[in-house]
Structure formats: C-alpha cells, structure tokens
C-alpha cells in the first residue's frame, strides 16, 4: 500500500526540481521565490517544504542534478579518443562534439548561475566544478597520457595539456557567451573553432 505514495512523492520531487530549474535559470537566485516554484510545479507550499526546507537546499539540488549531463560528456571524451591511431582525426571529431555539447544554451545559463552565486555558496560551486569540468579534464588527461605512451603525442603534463586543449577550444565562444549573454551558437563557427583548436594544440604537442 505504501508504494503508490512513494511514487507520488518521487513524481512531486521531480516536478519541483524541474520547476526550480526553470525559475532559477530565468530569474537567478535572488529573483526566485519558493512560492513561484510551488506554483509552477503544481504543488502546495507545505509539499514543497517537505522536500526542500529552504531555497538554498533547493538551489543546491538543481545544481547537483547536472551530474548526469557531465557523465555523458565524459563518455563522449573517452569514447572519441579510445584506441585512436591518428590523433588529429580523433581530436577533430572530439573537438567538434565537445564544443557543441558545452555550448548548449541551458548549460551556459547554468554556468552563469553557478558563477553568480559562487561566493554566496562556495561549496555548491566547488562541488559543481569538481564533479563536472574537473572530471572531464581528468578523462581527457588520461587519454593524452595513453597517447604519449604510444608515441602519438609529446606530453609531459597530461592535465596541463588537457587544460590547454579545452582552453583553445572554448576561450572564444564561451567568453563571448558569458560576457554578452548571447547563448546562440553558429554550428559552422563552432566547427571552425574546433578545427583551429586542434591545429594549435598539435603544433605544440604532436610527436615529431
């Protein structure tokens, strides 16, 4: 008899998190109210507060939810570079997919939200960075280390190389999106950045 109640509870929690994500991304932390989240989720305020006792915990929960998206990016990195015989071809394929994935409007808006509240909620920001971008960098670094062991790249510091690669890839489109608030990306332009990033990266890290 308890199972349907548990399912209803899970469904209401999901509705709350979906509504909270929408409101936080649209209005920011300061502009979000628990009343608005409850209304959008279609739940009562007592129900909302049973799941999340305050706005801070609700905010932390929606940031944590993005871990699943990070896992997809990590699988993308690992799969694209696994057992490649030609680094340029593999890196070009990865760069195009990676810049497209990381420049999605929802992810950019989430990034802006986390950065805007990093001083207020440093633990949430640190956890988001550690569970997200740092894991992507670690996966990329491990692939570069394997390439170096096979003589396909000349890499002394794989993690630094991973940072160089992502920096070359994201510096232009990401900074433009963060500073202007324009989250739309031209696929042809992203492909040009991807190809140029690989060319620049290999000019410094290719085996000779």
């Amino acid at each position: 008899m308890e199972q349907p109640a548990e399912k209803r509870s899970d469904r209401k929690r999901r509705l709350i998190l979906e509504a909270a994500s929408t409101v936080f991304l649209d209005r920011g932390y300061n502009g979000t109210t628990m009343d608005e989240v409850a209304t959008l989720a279609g739940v009562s305020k007592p129900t909302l507060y049973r799941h999340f006792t305050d706005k801070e915990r609700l905010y932390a929960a929606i940031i944590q939810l993005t871990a699943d998206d990070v896992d997809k990016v990590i699988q993308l990195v690992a799969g694209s570079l696994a057992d490649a015989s030609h680094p340029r071809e593999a890196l070009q394929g990865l760069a195009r997919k990676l810049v497209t994935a990381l420049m999605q409007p929802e992810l950019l808006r989430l990034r802006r939200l986390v950065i805007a509240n990093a001083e207020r909620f440093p633990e949430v920001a640190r956890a988001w960075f550690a569970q997200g971008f740092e894991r992507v960098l670690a996966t990329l670094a491990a692939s570069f280390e394997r390439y170096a062991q096979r003589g396909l790249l000349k890499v002394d510091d794989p993690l630094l190389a991973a940072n160089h690669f992502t920096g070359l890839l994201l510096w232009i489109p990401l900074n433009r999106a963060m500073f202007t608030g324009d989250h739309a990306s031209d696929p042809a332009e992203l492909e040009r950045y991807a190809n140029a990033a690989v060319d620049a990266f290999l000019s410094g890290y290719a085996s000779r």
Side-chain angles (χ1 to χ4, degrees):
M1 296 295 294
E2 293 182 359
Q3 189 173 0
E6 291 175 353
K7 288 184 177 179
R8 284 196 298 273
S9 178
D10 290 343
R11 183 175 64 84
K12 287 184 178 180
R13 180 182 175 86
R14 175 177 55 78
L15 290 173
I16 290 168
L17 288 170
E18 289 174 353
S21 295
T22 297
V23 179
F24 275 118
L25 290 175
D26 284 347
R27 303 188 181 279
Y29 185 87
N30 289 335
T32 295
T33 66
M34 296 293 269
D35 285 348
E36 189 172 7
V37 172
T39 299
L40 186 59
V43 302
S44 65
K45 285 184 65 178
T47 296
L48 173 58
Y49 282 106
R50 276 200 302 272
H51 286 277
F52 301 98
T53 57
D54 55 38
K55 189 167 76 168
E56 180 178 345
R57 286 175 174 79
L58 182 56
Y59 169 75
I62 68 160
I63 301 302
Q64 179 62 38
L65 270 181
T66 60
D68 290 342
D69 293 329
V70 172
D71 289 341
K72 294 175 186 176
V73 174
I74 289 173
Q75 292 170 9
L76 171 66
V77 172
S80 297
L81 300 184
D83 303 322
S85 300
H86 301 92
R88 180 178 294 277
E89 182 178 336
L91 288 172
Q92 283 179 335
L94 170 63
R96 292 166 188 165
K97 294 175 185 176
L98 193 58
V99 73
T100 299
L102 296 180
M103 291 300 295
Q104 290 298 310
E106 286 300 299
L107 183 56
L108 293 173
R109 293 169 71 204
L110 179 67
R111 182 186 180 96
R112 290 172 68 91
L113 180 65
V114 173
I115 291 172
N117 294 282
E119 291 187 7
R120 177 182 293 178
F121 305 119
E123 291 184 3
V124 173
R126 281 195 294 266
W128 188 77
F129 184 73
Q131 296 172 20
F133 200 54
E134 280 193 334
R135 289 174 59 207
V136 174
L137 288 172
T139 303
L140 190 57
S143 296
F144 287 168
E145 185 171 17
R146 287 192 294 272
Y147 277 11
Q149 291 170 350
R150 294 166 56 196
L152 299 176
L153 290 178
K154 187 178 183 299
V155 176
D156 296 323
D157 185 335
L159 186 57
L160 182 60
N163 276 277
H164 285 163
F165 180 78
T166 54
L168 290 165
L169 182 63
L170 294 172
W171 177 261
I172 297 173
L174 185 58
N175 274 311
R176 184 176 60 198
M178 290 297 98
F179 283 108
T180 67
D182 181 3
H183 299 151
S185 298
D186 177 8
E189 190 174 55
L190 291 183
E191 182 174 355
R192 183 168 69 89
Y193 292 144
N195 292 335
V198 172
D199 288 342
F201 180 79
L202 290 177
S203 71
Y205 284 101
S207 294
R208 291 176 173 82

